[in-house]
Amino acid sequence: MDCLFCKIINGEIPSEKLYEDELVYVFRDIDPKAPTHFLIVPKEHIPSADNLEERHKDLIGHVFLVAKKICAEEGLTKGYRIVNNCKEDGGQTVEHLHFHVLGGRSLNWPPG
Ligand code: 5GP
Ligand code: ZN
């Protein structure tokens, strides 16, 4: 399949990996928007959050626990933000479900 994140997950395209298990692959964003910016990507090719099904409930809970674990390792004691951009209006550019995790500075709200 011609999917950038599937290629990163299977090692065809190199990445700075932070963590991997049977459900998710985690790596640093190539164009960081904060001092810490990594992506949590389910290994299953799910195009967007709008394609989630009942059977994915445990996977999404797992994503948030992985975020918590890696943020602790990254020293983000003051907090962080977990973001999912969903489809066109949400600003999604890679059509493989992923969660941004940003931290290391105070983040603005609301987003643009
Ligand atoms: P989206 O805009 O779909 O929410 O997020 C896609 C993210 O993937 C962007 O933040 C972008 O910087 C990141 N990205 C795109 N291509 C690559 C790549 O080849 N390697 C890594 N590590 N990140 C990428
Ligand atoms: Zn994919």
Side-chain angles (χ1 to χ4, degrees):
M1 189 190 299
D2 195 25
C3 167
L4 176 64
F5 286 175
C6 282
K7 287 179 179 164
I8 286 179
I9 291 164
N10 71 28
E12 248 180 275
I13 293 174
S15 65
E16 197 177 332
K17 181 171 96 172
L18 295 178
Y19 176 81
E20 178 178 15
D21 62 25
E22 69 281 10
L23 292 176
V24 296
Y25 189 90
V26 183
F27 55 101
R28 292 199 193 279
D29 197 291
I30 204 166
D31 181 20
K33 310 297 189 297
T36 296
H37 183 178
F38 59 88
L39 302 173
I40 303 180
V41 183
K43 287 187 170 176
E44 180 181 339
H45 180 88
I46 303 165
S48 80
D50 203 39
N51 299 96
L52 285 168
E53 299 172 3
E54 277 292 312
R55 67 187 175 86
H56 295 122
K57 271 159 63 169
D58 285 354
L59 167 66
I60 301 310
H62 183 66
V63 164
F64 275 70
L65 291 176
V66 167
K68 174 186 165 180
K69 170 186 151 60
I70 299 172
C71 286
E73 289 171 5
E74 293 283 311
L76 301 180
T77 54
K78 291 176 75 180
Y80 49 89
R81 184 171 293 167
I82 302 171
V83 174
N84 171 253
N85 297 327
C86 180
K87 297 173 41 179
E88 192 180 348
D89 278 0
Q92 183 176 3
T93 60
V94 177
E95 289 183 10
H96 180 135
L97 178 65
H98 53 281
F99 295 83
H100 297 258
V101 184
L102 304 125
R105 67 171 171 84
S106 181
L107 298 160
N108 302 328
W109 190 261

